[in-house]
Amino acid sequence: MKKLYGVLGNPIEHSMSPLIHNDAFKRNGIEGDYLPFLVEGAALGKAVEGLKAIGAGGFNVTVPFKESVIPYMDALDPFAKEVGAVNTAVIKDGLITGYNTDGPGFVRSLAPLINGQFAGKRVLIIGGGGAARGIYCAMAKTGIERMDIANRTLSAARQIVADCHDGTPSSVLSLEEAEKSLAIYDIIIQTTSVGLSSLHESPISLMGIKEKTVVCDIIYNPLKTKFLREAENNGAIIQTGVDMFVQQAALAFELWTGISPDCERMRQLVLENLGG
């Protein structure tokens, strides 16, 4: 009998998780179906309990539920507990365990762009939500020199630093302050949803970046946001959200099945469906 998996979010129609996971199930001979579930905020608990009740194997969690889903977990992986955000859940023996593969997935996707050399790098993260938390905590474990967070709501950014601090020097900045100091950063990571629904929106201007700065946007649809287009025009090395998306998905697939999927095939499937 097939096991059910899925992704809970709102919006959800842009998600390519069903595409890559269903393909990975088929290629690895696993009887599984992965479906997208559009969930209204007030129904999140019912959605989680419903998946548990029918014996689903697990699910992903995307915007805006990565933090609010935590009360519905029976247990948390230590990293997810540190981060305070869950993007992957495993259902086993009637219990749901929450994990965070966003941060580790991002680190895995970034490593090739910097030849695995995290030491000495100065990093700016834009955003203060669940994805920012996961990336901040994972990046703090890599030995980077400094990591600052810029966000519209400063209290959210301060909370991330307080909760996930691994000894990495960090400052919390307004978006305006970040724009004025972009030249000091080697890596800039955009984690907000700005640009997800419009090709004409960006959280900050990137006019002040230095050449060869690595600029990442975790949004993968559209493939190249205004943020990345501006970065590229100013001499940056850019990374779309496809690579992080694939790596976090691969880690989730491993948690559910114990099998490492073909990441390059996942990447090509996403790019083909984005028209890239």
Side-chain angles (χ1 to χ4, degrees):
M1 188 174 69
K2 285 189 174 183
K3 272 284 187 182
L4 178 66
Y5 299 84
V7 55
L8 310 181
N10 193 342
I12 201 63
E13 63 273 6
H14 68 284
S15 177
M16 295 205 181
S17 293
L19 170 72
I20 61 175
H21 283 297
N22 284 321
D23 180 77
F25 285 142
K26 183 178 180 180
R27 288 181 64 83
N28 287 281
I30 297 171
E31 292 290 313
D33 275 326
Y34 186 108
L35 300 173
F37 296 102
L38 177 66
V39 179
E40 298 300 330
L44 178 60
K46 292 180 180 179
V48 172
E49 287 302 314
L51 287 169
K52 182 178 178 179
I54 63 174
F59 55 91
N60 287 129
V61 184
T62 188
V63 175
F65 301 127
K66 293 181 182 183
E67 293 165 287
S68 57
V69 78
I70 287 178
Y72 306 109
M73 299 293 104
D74 297 306
L76 287 178
D77 171 76
F79 183 72
K81 186 174 183 179
E82 177 188 8
V83 171
V86 164
N87 79 317
T88 300
V90 176
I91 305 175
K92 186 176 181 180
D93 299 327
L95 298 176
I96 306 178
T97 303
Y99 295 83
N100 188 299
T101 68
D102 277 335
F106 179 80
V107 170
R108 281 198 351 185
S109 73
L110 177 64
L113 284 184
I114 58 175
N115 298 316
Q117 298 298 314
F118 290 90
K121 296 294 191 295
R122 294 187 170 212
V123 179
L124 173 67
I125 293 177
I126 301 169
R133 295 179 71 87
I135 290 172
Y136 180 96
C137 291
M139 288 289 289
K141 301 180 190 303
T142 63
I144 57 175
E145 179 180 321
R146 178 174 194 86
M147 183 161 49
D148 298 335
I149 304 182
N151 193 43
R152 190 176 304 279
T153 306
L154 298 183
S155 59
R158 291 192 185 103
Q159 194 62 53
I160 292 175
V161 174
D163 291 345
C164 304
H165 207 341
D166 264 7
T168 303
S170 298
S171 293
V172 171
L173 309 172
S174 67
L175 298 178
E176 292 75 18
E177 288 171 330
E179 284 187 352
K180 295 176 182 177
S181 57
L182 291 177
I184 72 171
Y185 299 108
D186 305 295
I187 302 168
I188 299 174
I189 308 161
Q190 202 293 106
T191 72
T192 76
S193 60
V194 176
L196 180 62
S197 58
S198 173
L199 289 170
H200 308 293
E201 295 181 355
S202 181
I204 65 171
S205 168
L206 294 174
M207 291 293 292
I209 63 172
K210 63 185 178 183
E211 193 173 3
K212 303 300 183 183
T213 300
V214 175
V215 177
C216 312
D217 195 327
I218 69 169
I219 292 172
Y220 66 89
N221 188 6
L223 182 61
K224 194 179 289 187
T225 58
K226 179 181 178 181
F227 183 80
L228 288 184
R229 296 199 307 272
E230 185 177 1
E232 192 171 43
N233 290 338
N234 284 281
I237 299 167
I238 66 168
Q239 182 180 61
T240 72
V242 170
D243 295 299
M244 174 188 169
F245 172 64
V246 165
Q247 293 297 337
Q248 64 82 26
L251 290 170
F253 192 86
E254 290 170 19
L255 287 169
W256 294 327
T257 68
I259 296 172
S260 297
D262 184 341
C263 290
E264 184 54 33
R265 178 172 173 82
M266 283 182 162
R267 185 174 183 274
Q268 288 305 316
L269 282 173
V270 174
L271 290 175
E272 287 170 11
N273 278 268
L274 289 173

